[in-house]
Structures are given as C-alpha cells and as structure tokens.
Amino acid sequence: MDEKARHVPMRMCAICRKRAPKNTLTRFIQTSEKADPVPDQKQKAPGRGVYVCDEARCREAFSRRSAKRKAKGQEV
C-alpha cells in the first residue's frame, strides 16, 4: 500500500524572494502600528505576516527595512 505524500505549504522570503517550506521560515507579525515586528512562533496569529528565511543577510535586511519604515511612520 502506497502512502500519499503530504502537501508541504511553500512560502517566499520577503527579502531574497526564495521559496521554501513554510516550517523553515520565520513569520513576523506587527502587533500594533508603533511596535516592531515580532516573530510568530506558532505561525498561526491572525492577520498578515511576513516570512523571512534564516540567512543572516535576510534577517539583517529585514531589521533595517522595518526600522526605516518605523521612522517614516509606515507599517511593515
């Protein structure tokens, strides 16, 4: 009897645009307009999230980008 292959949800890193399985990326959410984005450990929080891969350059670029937008008064 063949086991069916389970579907693996894919997501895209917001920085490098590489596609990867959802469970290998970190999802960030913004809890309020003035707050910094925080990791969503369970990846189930309501609202829109942003996925970032674990590469150091992507994490650093995401931090810089969210800091710039916060300074301008925009949402992440």
Side-chain angles (χ1 to χ4, degrees):
M1 196 190 261
D2 287 328
E3 275 190 51
K4 289 186 177 181
R6 287 188 56 109
H7 171 73
V8 178
M10 301 293 282
R11 298 292 184 265
M12 186 184 306
C13 174
I15 304 301
C16 67
R17 313 303 274 176
K18 289 182 187 173
R19 296 183 63 81
K22 179 182 171 183
N23 62 354
T24 64
L25 301 173
T26 303
R27 180 176 187 245
F28 288 88
I29 58 169
Q30 192 165 5
T31 55
S32 70
E33 285 186 31
K34 298 186 185 227
D36 288 332
V38 294
D40 176 15
Q41 300 297 337
K42 294 183 180 181
Q43 296 190 351
K44 301 261 186 205
R48 293 193 175 265
V50 175
Y51 290 88
V52 180
C53 67
D54 290 332
E55 291 186 33
R57 64 187 177 107
C58 290
R59 295 285 181 131
E60 187 178 313
F62 180 70
S63 296
R64 283 194 313 259
R65 183 179 289 180
S66 61
K68 282 182 186 177
R69 288 186 179 184
K70 186 177 178 184
K72 290 182 179 180
Q74 299 174 348
E75 286 188 34
V76 176

